[in-house]
């Protein structure tokens, strides 16, 4: 049985709010993600004017969800192209082996 991954504590600040997170991965990766979210929220707040933090967070989530959907679409397209190329390669290989 594998032991549980070691948990580390990471302190980050997002939209001027400090958070202490328990992570099992790389602390630097979590810090980088938090920094990206912080920058996005600050950018949204500047563009949206006088809105509260909850609205900024919702707008940031919508932005990230839109980006995720786009990346998922790209990934699906890549998978389809790889599948088609694999089928074509299989046909060529079968013909070459006859």
């Amino acid at each position: 049985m594998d032991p549980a991954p070691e948990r580390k504590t990471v302190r980050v600040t997002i939209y001027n709010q400090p958070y202490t997170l328990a992570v099992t991965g790389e602390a630097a990766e979590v810090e980088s993600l938090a920094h990206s979210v912080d920058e996005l929220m600050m950018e949204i707040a500047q563009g949206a004017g006088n809105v509260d933090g909850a609205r900024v967070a919702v707008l940031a989530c919508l932005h990230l969800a839109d980006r995720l959907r786009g990346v998922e679409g790209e990934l699906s397209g890549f998978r389809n192209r790889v599948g088609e190329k694999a089928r074509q390669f299989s046909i060529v290989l079968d013909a070459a082996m006859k």
Side-chain angles (χ1 to χ4, degrees):
M1 182 187 242
D2 291 336
E6 181 182 338
R7 295 180 81 157
K8 304 170 197 124
T9 300
V10 178
R11 290 192 49 81
V12 298
T13 301
I14 300 173
Y15 202 58
N16 299 320
Q17 294 293 314
Y19 296 91
T20 301
L21 308 171
V23 299
T24 56
E26 292 294 320
E29 181 65 19
V30 173
E31 290 168 342
S32 176
L33 289 171
H35 180 72
S36 295
V37 171
D38 181 58
E39 284 183 334
L40 175 60
M41 289 182 70
M42 292 296 191
E43 182 180 317
I44 289 170
Q46 287 176 350
N50 189 18
V51 295
D52 66 16
R55 289 183 187 271
V56 171
V58 168
L59 292 172
C61 286
L62 286 171
H63 177 82
L64 293 171
D66 180 56
R67 284 176 43 187
L68 176 60
R69 181 173 287 165
V71 169
E72 288 173 338
E74 288 178 25
L75 178 59
S76 178
F78 289 144
R79 285 181 174 156
N80 290 338
R81 287 197 297 274
V82 166
E84 181 58 31
K85 291 293 181 186
R87 283 187 287 282
Q88 291 172 358
F89 180 72
S90 178
I91 291 168
V92 170
L93 185 59
D94 286 345
M97 293 179 70
K98 289 182 181 179

